[in-house]
Amino acid sequence: MMRRRVGRPGLIGVAARTAVVAGTATAVVGHSQRKQAEKADTQAQAEAYQQQEAATAQQQEVDAAVAKALAAQQAQAAAVSPVAPAAPAATDVVGQLERLAALQTQGILTPDEFAAEKAKILAG
């Protein structure tokens, strides 16, 4: 039979007990830190989600206001009587006559050719 020592524990016993206590403390601290980090991460995600929801709601409000303003603008434009388009034919006739006059001045058209083309343009 082995004899048990009575009194203070030996050096190996003290070292073993210290290692167990230190390991347990490390495990407890690590677990606490992980839990705190998880809690902070969850809270940060919740805050980010709330901010995203607020931004989405704000964007929807802006979109609705823009759509309302656009509809009002379109209604106002529809209510205004349409302006009759300018007569492009008159401007075109003047332009054609000016070109013919320039061709006659350059000597490309004779006075008879000029008179014939002018009559065609004025006849429409």
Side-chain angles (χ1 to χ4, degrees):
M1 255 187 9
M2 279 186 67
R3 286 179 73 181
R4 284 193 65 155
R5 184 173 169 181
V6 178
R8 294 187 332 198
L11 183 60
I12 295 176
V14 170
R17 186 174 308 141
T18 303
V20 168
V21 169
T24 303
T26 302
V28 169
V29 169
H31 178 72
S32 295
Q33 288 176 344
R34 280 191 304 277
K35 285 298 231 182
Q36 288 175 353
E38 288 174 4
K39 184 177 179 181
D41 187 42
T42 302
Q43 185 176 4
Q45 287 178 355
E47 288 174 3
Y49 178 77
Q50 289 174 349
Q51 288 175 352
Q52 182 65 33
E53 287 297 312
T56 301
Q58 187 177 15
Q59 184 62 42
Q60 288 174 347
E61 290 175 5
V62 168
D63 291 346
V66 168
K68 185 177 179 181
L70 184 60
Q73 185 180 14
Q74 288 174 347
Q76 184 180 11
V80 174
S81 63
V83 178
T91 306
D92 191 36
V93 170
V94 172
Q96 289 177 348
L97 291 175
E98 288 175 351
R99 284 190 294 274
L100 281 176
L103 289 173
Q104 183 185 13
T105 305
Q106 293 172 359
I108 297 174
L109 291 178
T110 64
D112 293 333
E113 291 172 333
F114 175 78
E117 290 298 319
K118 180 180 170 185
K120 285 182 190 177
I121 292 172
L122 293 175

